[in-house]
Amino acid sequence: MKKSLLALAVAALAATSFASTASATTVYDKDGTSLSIYGRVQAVYYSDEASGVTRDYKVSGEADKEGSINASGRLGFDLRSQINPYVAGFAKAEFEMSNGNNVVDENGDNFYGRYLWVGFDFGQYGQVKVGKFEEAIKYAISQTDIYDDWGCLGLNGNDDRREGVVQYQWNGYGVDVIASYAFAKNNEHLDGAYWTGATKEIVDLDYSYSLAVGYTSPDVLFGPIAVRAGYLGGEFADHSKNNEVLLSRLDSNLSGIAAYDSYDQFAVGVSWGSLNIGPYVGAVFQQRTFDLNVAGSETTPNGTVAFYGSGESKVTGYEFAVGYNFGNGLLVRAGYNHQKYEIDGLGEAQGACIPVYVNYNFNPQVQVWAEARFDAGTDDDDNGDNFADATNGVYNAQENVFSVGLRYNI
């Protein structure tokens, strides 16, 4: 990029001379080359069970938790350059930064690239991009992903931003077609792989592929109707410690190893209306299945029995969402999220919650919101931690939590 582009971007940021819109602001556009900037700065109060902050430890080893405020920022750059009348190059770089514990990447860093990609736009023939982003399956599960903090209990894949992804996307006549392929990568986040290695949901992957299709109709009464479907399949890297589960972590009567081998997922979603104005309703169903290679032994009343073979764990989820944007700065959203987690021979556990979200925009830049999640029949045992234990602490859906935030959009 020319140095003048960077100089203009820095000057624009320093002067905060952005247009009155929360979307990307174009700070340079000349001779077919453009640069747009977007971002946000926010401070969010999280309630006791959500903050991750401990105040005092009891003799029993338990900890009193205390509400706290997290501050975070996000800054993104959209770039585009017309190569010839038929092809344009484009890129995106979006960075996340935080001083709290809730907004960090899987390595614990508090400044990292959230999205990073480059690509070619062939106009009516579609786009190709390469970099770090979610695979095609994200398109099929996104219709209920409409909250800031407390949704997505029933979704797998909403947080799986993978590196090394190649994606082709085409849209026309209301139809969207997205196909992606992800190359081998270590230390990748994978929703639903709760019991992997030393760090939950961090795995080493060989490859994965995904396909999603959808159709969005013209407005029907209060808005368009959109129907989507997607599939994802992948293989884990062989003989990786990240991909192994000690069976004794799952059941004290077991010893040995269960190694993640492969996985697949399907999802369908439907929505009616628009989040921008008026009413909105959406629903998603998805299921992600993990194939396991198992070798170990079990202690029984009759002695120790050795076994080996295959098994699977399965994450099934569905969500409903409703919302209304009044058009005067006020919007409300609510829904129902449900997840069932199963492991062969070890039973199942279920979590359910009701997220509620209220947001008010003073103007396109400044907004406040309050959000809460209420337990809706999570399958808890006497200690209240059956679902939390089953998911290795990833989800504590039995806890009622809330957050209140103030945000400035760039």
Side-chain angles (χ1 to χ4, degrees):
M1 180 191 294
K2 298 178 181 178
K3 291 183 179 180
S4 59
L5 290 182
L6 182 58
L8 280 170
V10 174
L13 282 171
T16 63
S17 56
F18 301 102
S20 58
T21 175
S23 59
T25 300
T26 300
V27 297
Y28 182 89
D29 191 352
K30 185 178 180 181
D31 300 328
T33 298
S34 64
L35 167 64
S36 298
I37 300 176
Y38 64 93
R40 71 187 193 190
V41 180
Q42 66 182 30
V44 185
Y45 174 83
Y46 290 96
S47 62
D48 294 359
E49 296 296 335
S51 69
V53 176
T54 54
R55 178 181 57 192
D56 190 20
Y57 288 89
K58 302 176 182 178
V59 176
S60 63
E62 298 178 356
D64 286 329
K65 300 177 182 178
E66 186 169 0
S68 184
I69 292 177
N70 281 0
S72 64
R74 185 175 294 174
L75 181 63
F77 301 87
D78 283 324
L79 306 97
R80 184 178 179 89
S81 182
Q82 197 69 36
I83 299 172
N84 59 46
Y86 311 102
V87 182
F90 63 90
K92 176 188 284 289
E94 181 178 298
F95 302 95
E96 189 84 38
M97 60 211 82
S98 171
N99 73 346
N101 297 321
N102 286 24
V103 188
V104 295
D105 73 351
E106 52 267 22
N107 298 313
D109 298 330
N110 58 10
F111 184 89
Y112 64 97
R114 190 168 182 264
Y115 289 111
L116 299 166
W117 72 64
V118 295
F120 292 108
D121 186 345
F122 300 99
Q124 63 178 323
Y125 299 106
Q127 298 181 347
V128 175
K129 67 179 184 181
V130 184
K132 179 182 180 180
F133 48 89
E134 297 95 342
E135 297 169 88
I137 192 71
K138 178 62 182 284
Y139 170 80
I141 62 173
S142 60
Q143 288 156 298
T144 58
D145 186 4
I146 62 174
Y147 309 97
D148 274 293
D149 290 311
W150 306 124
C152 300
L153 177 69
L155 303 183
N156 267 199
N158 61 296
D159 288 329
D160 291 343
R161 283 182 292 274
R162 290 203 55 191
E163 294 188 60
V165 182
V166 180
Q167 179 172 288
Y168 172 78
Q169 179 172 349
W170 177 89
N171 64 281
Y173 312 101
V175 176
D176 290 286
V177 179
I178 307 172
S180 63
Y181 182 89
F183 288 83
K185 210 73 176 179
N186 292 339
N187 299 312
E188 290 285 84
H189 180 273
L190 191 66
D191 278 348
Y194 299 130
W195 289 92
T196 49
T199 307
K200 49 201 171 189
E201 296 191 294
I202 300 299
V203 299
D204 295 339
L205 296 174
D206 188 3
Y207 66 86
S208 60
Y209 56 91
S210 184
L211 176 67
V213 296
Y215 173 75
T216 303
S217 75
D219 285 354
V220 178
L221 297 178
F222 56 82
I225 296 175
V227 180
R228 303 176 182 179
Y231 176 80
L232 168 69
E235 294 283 337
F236 290 84
D238 290 336
H239 309 297
S240 167
K241 294 296 182 181
N242 263 356
N243 302 339
E244 294 179 351
V245 181
L246 296 177
L247 295 177
S248 57
R249 295 177 67 194
L250 304 177
D251 191 312
S252 59
N253 294 320
L254 301 176
S255 62
I257 292 174
Y260 280 84
D261 181 46
S262 63
Y263 65 102
D264 67 343
Q265 178 184 7
F266 70 89
V268 292
V270 61
S271 64
W272 186 9
S274 170
L275 290 169
N276 296 325
I277 190 69
Y280 176 87
V281 295
V284 170
F285 177 87
Q286 69 82 34
Q287 185 174 89
R288 179 173 283 188
T289 302
F290 298 89
D291 295 318
L292 307 170
N293 292 324
V294 182
S297 61
E298 181 179 9
T299 302
T300 71
N302 298 321
T304 301
V305 179
F307 60 84
Y308 65 92
S310 61
E312 67 178 25
S313 65
K314 187 180 299 182
V315 184
T316 305
Y318 58 87
E319 297 188 353
F320 303 101
V322 295
Y324 198 95
N325 190 329
F326 292 89
N328 60 357
L330 178 65
L331 62 90
V332 295
R333 297 170 184 173
Y336 177 80
N337 296 177
H338 183 277
Q339 181 188 128
K340 181 171 70 172
Y341 180 57
E342 306 168 79
I343 306 178
D344 276 357
L346 295 175
E348 64 182 48
Q350 303 185 57
C353 68
I354 296 175
V356 178
Y357 178 87
V358 179
N359 182 296
Y360 182 76
N361 295 289
F362 294 99
N363 59 35
Q365 276 69 50
V366 183
Q367 62 183 234
V368 295
W369 78 92
E371 188 173 0
R373 184 191 69 199
F374 302 99
D375 178 27
T378 297
D379 183 19
D380 303 325
D381 61 18
D382 292 339
N383 296 319
D385 57 7
N386 185 25
F387 185 66
D389 281 355
T391 61
N392 199 17
V394 173
Y395 289 115
N396 295 304
Q398 74 276 3
E399 301 290 352
N400 297 330
V401 294
F402 71 88
S403 56
V404 180
L406 171 62
R407 175 182 296 155
Y408 189 96
N409 294 301
I410 297 173

